[in-house]
Amino acid sequence: MKKETYEKIIGLLGSKKAIPIIIDIFGKILTVLTALLYFVEIGWLVVSREYKLVAGLIIVPAVFFVLLSKFREKINAKRPYELYGFKPLINKNTKGLSFPSRHVFSIFVIGGSIWVINKILGTVILVMGLFLAVIRVITGVHFPKDVAAGAVIGFVCSMAMFIFLI
């Protein structure tokens, strides 16, 4: 997206003081709710004595999170607000580390990993991930390519969960 597009979106959404607060809270709710659902699914699998799946739900997101973090440190892409010099809609002052979005990657690797064993819950989390991706872009903290890459990489990595079904 171009500077003008970000400025237009942020100007429109930032014109009412409550809107940025609501968007920020909604993004935080999506993040916390994902973590809660993730731990509930792990708990359910422990109770069900599905230890191999528990291991997968812990190992797959953790390993790929570390690998993605190292990858994005090497790339160290600038964020829209850095590149274009505007204030993001939400409180954010990180320099670089924009590509790919780790927030979006995380929700998609968790949602996809759960989807492998629980289609309904996994789909709910993946839909929540779409909302989070939109929030990260319209608030000016990521480019569309950052969240798209985070989503695709997260979902593709989550398919490693199939190994734990064998």
Side-chain angles (χ1 to χ4, degrees):
M1 265 188 345
K2 296 180 181 177
K3 178 180 181 178
E4 298 78 24
T5 308
Y6 277 108
E7 288 174 342
K8 190 179 292 185
I9 291 169
I10 289 171
L12 179 66
L13 296 175
S15 65
K16 302 279 190 218
K17 197 168 191 162
I19 293 176
I21 295 168
I22 291 167
I23 291 171
D24 191 31
I25 290 170
F26 186 56
K28 285 181 170 71
I29 288 170
L30 290 172
T31 303
V32 170
L33 186 55
T34 298
L36 177 67
L37 293 171
Y38 174 63
F39 290 117
V40 165
E41 183 66 15
I42 288 172
W44 176 257
L45 291 171
V46 168
V47 169
S48 303
R49 298 180 182 209
E50 296 283 353
Y51 302 120
K52 194 173 179 183
L53 295 178
V54 170
L57 272 183
I58 294 169
I59 292 168
V60 169
V63 166
F64 288 113
F65 181 86
V66 170
L67 292 174
L68 180 101
S69 295
K70 291 191 179 302
F71 172 73
R72 84 183 202 147
E73 281 175 12
K74 288 206 183 296
I75 293 173
N76 199 24
K78 289 187 176 186
R79 294 174 178 272
Y81 62 81
E82 278 183 278
L83 194 61
Y84 297 144
F86 62 82
K87 185 178 183 315
L89 200 59
I90 60 175
N91 187 22
K92 187 79 171 170
N93 57 11
T94 304
K95 301 292 184 208
L97 304 175
S98 185
F99 180 85
S101 168
R102 202 164 51 183
H103 273 84
V104 175
F105 165 83
S106 296
I107 200 167
F108 272 83
V109 76
I110 289 169
S113 294
I114 291 174
W115 181 85
V116 170
I117 54 177
N118 182 335
K119 300 291 188 260
I120 293 170
L121 182 57
T123 300
V124 167
I125 294 171
L126 291 169
V127 170
M128 290 171 26
L130 293 173
F131 283 111
L132 185 64
V134 169
I135 287 171
R136 303 299 288 176
V137 172
I138 66 171
T139 57
V141 299
H142 281 293
F143 289 102
K145 68 178 173 58
D146 301 339
V147 298
V152 169
I153 294 167
F155 190 77
V156 168
C157 290
S158 73
M159 293 303 105
M161 188 64 195
F162 277 111
I163 294 168
F164 293 90
L165 293 175
I166 300 170

